[in-house]
Amino acid sequence: MQTSSLLNEIYTSAAGSVYQCDRRNRVILNYAGEVTALKVDAFLRLKKAVDSIDLEEMAISTDRSSDYEIVSVCGCDRCYVLTLPELDAFKEMLAKAKFVMELNSMLHECFNSQLV
């Protein structure tokens, strides 16, 4: 994905990338060649929905319906249809991106409190 100076890279893995657009206050997901722009609250809902999926149960189930999981949340114009390996990679990408966002927020608070 070609990025402009308006996008700040939050996290990148082999599965995809997560960027932050300060100008539009959006989180940009680049996963499996598809780019999706989300408001921060939609990103957090997506992460919560993905976290609620039991990967272990999905792995041990013999039902054909457990081969894929469909993930869709309000505020996201995309529906993700993911296999177990894709879901694991997506879950990891979202978790690490959220961690970096929280860490960045904490560092901002620390630096700003020291300047005042």
Side-chain angles (χ1 to χ4, degrees):
M1 175 177 179
Q2 187 172 0
T3 61
S4 68
S5 60
L6 300 175
L7 296 180
N8 298 316
E9 183 179 303
I10 295 174
Y11 179 76
T12 298
S13 69
S17 306
V18 180
Y19 300 91
Q20 179 177 329
C21 178
D22 292 331
R23 181 175 170 211
R24 300 198 61 202
N25 197 24
R26 299 282 190 268
V27 176
I28 313 297
L29 295 179
N30 180 11
Y31 181 76
E34 296 288 327
V35 178
T36 307
L38 302 166
K39 290 183 179 179
V40 175
D41 61 329
F43 171 79
L44 296 175
R45 281 194 304 273
L46 178 62
K47 183 186 178 315
K48 185 176 180 179
V50 170
D51 287 345
S52 71
I53 299 168
D54 187 354
L55 297 181
E56 185 176 327
E57 179 63 33
M58 192 175 170
I60 62 173
S61 177
T62 57
D63 294 336
R64 288 186 58 105
S65 62
S66 66
D67 290 345
Y68 294 91
E69 189 70 37
I70 299 171
V71 181
S72 180
V73 294
C74 182
C76 179
D77 61 351
R78 179 144 188 254
C79 178
Y80 294 92
V81 180
L82 304 168
T83 62
L84 180 64
E86 292 170 337
L87 194 54
D88 185 47
F90 193 56
K91 189 176 206 176
E92 179 184 351
M93 184 181 81
L94 294 177
K96 290 185 178 181
K98 183 177 183 238
F99 171 77
V100 171
M101 290 168 68
E102 289 174 347
L103 180 62
N104 193 19
S105 177
M106 289 172 29
L107 289 173
H108 244 219
E109 287 178 20
C110 288
F111 289 136
N112 287 336
S113 68
Q114 288 180 356
L115 294 175
V116 176

